Amino acid sequence: MSAADLHDLLKRLRSLPAETEVVEFKEAKASFDFAELGRYFSALSNEANLAGKPDAWLIFGVKDKGRSIVGSRYRSNRADLDCLKHEHEIAEQTTAQISFIEIHEMPLPEGRVVLFQIPAAPKGIPVAFKGHYFGRNGESLSALNIEEIERIRAQTTQEDWSVGICLDATIDDLDPIAIAKARQNFINKFPDKAADVGGWDDIAFLNKAKVTLKSKITRTAIILLGRPESEHFINPSEAKIRWILKDAKGNERDYHIESCPLLLAVDKIYDKIRNLKYRYLKDGTLFPDEVLRYEPFVIREALNNCI
């Protein structure tokens, strides 16, 4: 965020008629209690989630009443300020080790202002500090009530991420070999439709298979059938399978990564897995039987379940 953007942001926040659930001003002229900072982090993060905002702001060096700038010497050494974010001081005490998006400093004629940019709680995951959930009751810091906790937790059941549309993606972003394999798998599962499948173009087939939605490319289509370079459509998520070979001491000896299309990646990863043969003699014969250590179906099922 540029200096001009920060000035505009601060001006806009100071002009608010009152503090909101996602904006808090503190004088913090010399210092500020760390536990109190953590509680505000939890509260503002949770309230940003509930308000549908991407972030919330805790601002030091500005009076709540009147919004005059008084300046703050809180952690005036930049390295000390960065420790809150980069050395995980806050993250060590929060749910999922969530920390600040950024901590901005503004040296102004009236004094230094510090703006803490706090991320909204992830969907379905209320943010706690030291095991306690905090929220806001008007302008006051309070415990996050049970209804709000459950409202955040219920978010994971309200939205199917996989059905989301990748707006700029087209059928050209899908791998034709993966689509061909998907057709064959579809026929294997629904042999009575084999005669029909041949007459469907790719989009018609994918609609019938419920991989695309009204001819639009979904995240599912990208993950299962997308070309490797199409993974960017699901940013910041990623679609990768990592195979790692370790020796008896746990040291990494080799690795291999497969990206989209994951429908084809399963076979490539399966070929990397060492499935050694065991030989044993049955009673009454000199001819050994050979069996694989793992049933191939079990390995493939595990990979497919992860996807």
Side-chain angles (χ1 to χ4, degrees), residues 31-70:
S31 62
F32 196 79
D33 180 69
F34 176 77
E36 188 78 350
L37 178 66
R39 288 191 283 269
Y40 271 107
F41 182 97
S42 167
L44 291 167
S45 179
N46 290 325
E47 294 294 347
N49 172 293
L50 292 167
K53 304 289 186 182
D55 51 27
W57 294 90
L58 175 61
I59 302 169
F60 285 0
V62 178
K63 277 188 175 182
D64 178 21
K65 304 301 181 183
R67 309 290 167 77
S68 60
I69 297 175
V70 296

Side-chain angles (χ1 to χ4, degrees), residues 106-127:
M106 292 182 61
L108 300 173
E110 305 96 318
R112 171 177 173 262
V113 175
V114 182
L115 300 93
F116 297 90
Q117 187 176 6
I118 298 169
K123 286 186 178 182
I125 307 175
V127 171

Side-chain angles (χ1 to χ4, degrees), residues 193-212:
K193 299 186 186 308
D196 298 328
V197 172
W200 298 339
D201 63 18
D202 286 343
I203 280 293
F205 162 66
L206 295 174
N207 284 337
K208 296 282 188 182
K210 301 179 182 179
V211 175
T212 53

Side-chain angles (χ1 to χ4, degrees), residues 117-307:
Q117 187 176 6
I118 298 169
K123 286 186 178 182
I125 307 175
V127 171
F129 179 73
K130 292 187 175 180
H132 297 281
Y133 300 108
F134 295 92
R136 305 263 285 175
N137 185 4
E139 296 184 13
S140 302
L141 187 68
S142 64
L144 193 66
N145 67 54
I146 189 65
E147 185 275 333
E148 291 171 321
I149 292 175
E150 291 305 315
R151 204 189 322 160
I152 293 176
R153 286 175 172 165
Q155 291 167 352
T156 54
T157 62
Q158 294 171 354
E159 179 182 350
D160 182 356
W161 179 88
S162 66
V163 80
I165 302 298
C166 300
L167 295 177
D168 296 326
T170 70
I171 190 69
D172 293 332
D173 294 301
L174 304 185
D175 187 308
I177 298 176
I179 294 175
K181 184 174 180 64
R183 281 180 181 270
Q184 187 57 54
N185 289 348
F186 187 87
I187 292 171
N188 292 341
K189 185 172 183 179
F190 304 105
D192 57 312
K193 299 186 186 308
D196 298 328
V197 172
W200 298 339
D201 63 18
D202 286 343
I203 280 293
F205 162 66
L206 295 174
N207 284 337
K208 296 282 188 182
K210 301 179 182 179
V211 175
T212 53
L213 183 63
K214 295 182 178 179
S215 302
K216 295 178 181 178
I217 306 300
T218 63
R219 295 188 181 112
T220 293
I222 294 295
I223 291 169
L224 293 179
L225 308 173
R227 298 178 188 270
E229 61 271 19
S230 70
E231 188 183 0
H232 72 88
F233 285 113
I234 63 169
N235 280 341
S237 301
E238 61 177 26
K240 287 184 173 63
I241 303 177
R242 293 173 173 84
W243 170 83
I244 300 173
L245 176 65
K246 294 185 178 182
D247 62 21
K249 295 182 179 179
N251 300 314
E252 187 173 315
R253 307 297 298 177
D254 195 8
Y255 73 93
H256 180 77
I257 298 174
E258 284 291 337
S259 182
C260 306
L262 293 192
L263 187 67
L264 302 182
V266 170
D267 288 337
K268 295 176 183 178
I269 293 296
Y270 175 81
D271 290 340
K272 286 283 186 181
I273 296 173
R274 294 183 176 183
N275 195 7
L276 302 179
K277 288 183 178 180
Y278 280 83
R279 296 172 177 82
Y280 66 96
L281 290 174
K282 290 182 179 180
D283 292 340
T285 179
L286 296 177
F287 299 97
D289 277 355
E290 294 185 346
V291 295
L292 293 172
R293 183 174 183 181
Y294 305 109
E295 284 288 343
F297 172 81
V298 173
I299 298 175
R300 292 178 182 276
E301 183 184 35
L303 290 169
N304 287 323
N305 285 343
C306 288
I307 296 171

